[in-house]
Amino acid sequence: MLDLLVVGAGPYGLSIASHAAASGLDVRVLGRPMASWRDHMPRGMLLKSEPWSSNLSDPAGAHTFGAYCATLGVRAEHGSPPPVGTFTDYGMWFAERAAPPVEEREVTAVRPAARGAGFRVETADGDVLHARTVALAVGVLPFTHLPKPLRGFPPELVSHSVRHSDLAAFAGRDVTVVGAGQAALETATLLAEHGAAVRLVARTGRLGWNTPPQPLERGLLRSLRDPHSGLGTGWPSWVWSEAPQAVRALPGGLRSRIVGRALGPAGAWWLRERFESAVPTLLGHRLVAAAPVDGGVRLRLAGAGGARSVLETGHVIAATGFAPGLGRLRMLDPALRAGLRTVAGSRAPELDGRFRSSWPGLYFAGLLAAPSFGPAMRFVHGASFTAARLVEGVRREGVRRERGGARTARERVPAHA
């Protein structure tokens, strides 16, 4: 029986696997390495986070984004956004050098073991694996959110922004992007630059834009007043970024509100000029209904004061984020899923200080951990906080079970690991 099976091979899954292997655990990781980045990010996108806050995590801290860029003969510089493709290549480099081999296999079911502790994990190719603990690091793709009026349309008419790796396919077409965050603004900009007739529709009456980053080297007073963090400058961002354990100490309902409101939709500073010079906007308009019409989509919108308008477009791209919830994880056994405690005000699992759910042996990382640990779990930066703590939880759980006699000597984790 495996000590740990990691489901998912993105930044969180790879980081967890790296720490687990280094600690002496018998670990396997299943998934497509960097899948959401390789297959669901349009070419031409840039990384919004700073290079120094975009590291995957290995115990030695040697396999950083900066270290990878050095192998290319380039510098990962503060205030200079690298291409998403470079970050994707970095993740693949990390997977090859700092983590156990990734098995590109799809997990279809995670069930409690028939006898005793542990899990039975089934794959799409018909294999069955047995693991004492399972860490679900499934990324964001299971949780894509479409506004209710846009559900049920065929993909040639309506799609989510993560479904496109090449926006050049929309050249010459009429496209409406719905949303107001970085994904919406950058998708609309790239569409325009590829020759699409594009517009952006958003409920907000005013788009938000991040300011250019402050220099890393600053005076003491300025640094104290507005500290740097992996999620931006300022004390709120510093707390979300550097103290997730403090966020977890808050009441569940408050944590859920923080996750829903902190670090809200905003575009990167380096995108603003490109966007404003290329994309017309229809702000302050809420989507109330949609219907197919003549090979396109008719959108009914409600503006300020309830005024209604109609917009016809060839295709709608919804850059409307993600709605994390246990109900979206169809791989989880229904009885197991129903038995998990959730964070008040959310549909995400309540996790202890080492990312373990209320079901012994079942751990969660990434987006589903945000209502427990705060906004950092929505970003790559959170992987460094997560990996070591989650693996420590797995090892401690093994020690508890050893003391209870649940494991054989051959299965035990070395005491020095």
Side-chain angles (χ1 to χ4, degrees):
M1 178 179 284
L2 296 168
D3 291 317
L4 172 64
L5 181 67
V6 180
V7 181
Y12 281 83
L14 292 173
S15 297
I16 292 165
S18 178
H19 282 259
S23 75
L25 293 176
D26 183 10
V27 57
R28 290 168 72 174
V29 53
L30 274 57
R32 179 168 165 77
M34 301 296 288
S36 62
W37 299 87
R38 293 167 68 187
D39 304 332
H40 300 275
M41 297 285 182
R43 286 188 287 276
M45 278 193 165
L46 301 179
L47 203 63
K48 188 179 182 185
S49 57
E50 291 298 324
W52 54 268
S53 66
S54 304
N55 298 322
L56 279 66
S57 180
D58 65 283
H63 295 81
T64 64
F65 185 60
Y68 170 70
C69 288
T71 68
L72 305 178
V74 300
R75 293 182 60 188
E77 294 184 303
H78 178 69
S80 179
V84 163
T86 302
F87 176 75
T88 302
D89 292 342
Y90 159 59
M92 300 299 292
W93 176 83
F94 182 98
E96 293 172 359
R97 290 163 176 78
V102 177
E103 302 172 45
E104 291 204 28
R105 307 167 72 187
E106 179 187 356
V107 172
T108 56
V110 177
R111 309 182 193 279
R115 294 188 296 274
F119 300 89
R120 171 189 170 96
V121 180
E122 302 168 11
T123 65
D125 55 10
D127 198 6
V128 175
L129 304 173
H130 298 275
R132 179 172 59 83
T133 61
V134 170
L136 295 178
V138 298
V140 300
L141 294 180
F143 311 114
T144 53
H145 171 69
L146 283 177
K148 189 173 181 180
L150 297 178
R151 298 172 193 170
F153 281 83
E156 59 267 22
L157 294 180
V158 173
S159 57
H160 194 278
S161 57
V162 299
R163 301 304 174 194
H164 302 287
S165 60
D166 185 5
L167 294 172
F170 288 97
R173 297 184 60 186
D174 184 278
V175 184
T176 297
V177 176
V178 178
Q182 174 69 12
L185 301 172
E186 194 169 10
T187 295
T189 301
L190 290 171
L191 283 166
E193 293 173 351
H194 281 303
V198 61
R199 71 197 58 78
L200 182 124
V201 174
R203 290 181 298 178
T204 183
R206 182 180 181 182
L207 296 175
W209 295 98
N210 299 131
T211 58
Q214 299 181 28
L216 285 177
E217 300 297 330
R218 298 174 295 160
L220 178 61
L221 182 60
R222 191 175 175 190
S223 296
L224 288 173
R225 185 174 61 245
D226 205 17
H228 276 299
S229 77
L231 301 182
T233 54
W235 280 107
S237 293
W238 189 93
V239 172
W240 313 145
S241 172
E242 311 306 320
Q245 69 275 17
V247 177
R248 190 189 164 275
L250 299 173
L254 178 56
R255 281 182 268 138
S256 294
R257 289 194 294 274
I258 289 171
V259 170
R261 298 174 185 175
L263 304 173
W269 61 274
W270 43 260
L271 181 65
R272 186 168 187 173
E273 183 177 349
R274 289 167 57 199
F275 174 86
E276 292 182 340
S277 65
V279 181
T281 60
L282 194 58
L283 304 180
H285 283 71
R286 179 173 54 89
L287 176 62
V288 294
V293 56
D294 297 331
V297 183
R298 177 179 290 140
L299 304 176
R300 297 191 181 277
L301 309 172
R308 300 298 177 102
S309 59
V310 174
L311 170 65
E312 292 190 2
T313 186
H315 188 95
V316 178
I317 295 180
T320 45
F322 307 91
L326 289 167
R328 298 284 193 95
L329 287 183
R330 297 303 179 189
M331 69 176 67
L332 277 183
D333 177 82
L336 188 161
R337 188 168 61 236
L340 292 171
R341 289 199 298 271
T342 56
V343 177
S346 82
R347 292 171 291 173
E350 180 74 75
L351 306 177
D352 71 10
R354 293 177 177 83
F355 292 84
R356 190 180 79 158
S357 71
S358 58
W359 193 288
L362 185 61
Y363 295 74
F364 291 85
L367 192 59
L368 278 176
S372 287
F373 289 94
M377 302 300 114
R378 294 169 12 207
F379 301 91
V380 173
H381 182 69
S384 295
F385 176 86
T386 301
R389 288 165 178 80
L390 188 150
V391 169
E392 181 185 2
V394 170
R395 294 187 66 250
R396 288 191 176 199
E397 191 158 359
V399 169
R400 286 195 298 271
R401 291 183 181 178
E402 282 183 8
R403 290 172 177 169
R407 304 181 68 202
T408 67
R410 183 177 61 84
E411 293 175 304
R412 291 174 187 165
V413 179
H416 64 275

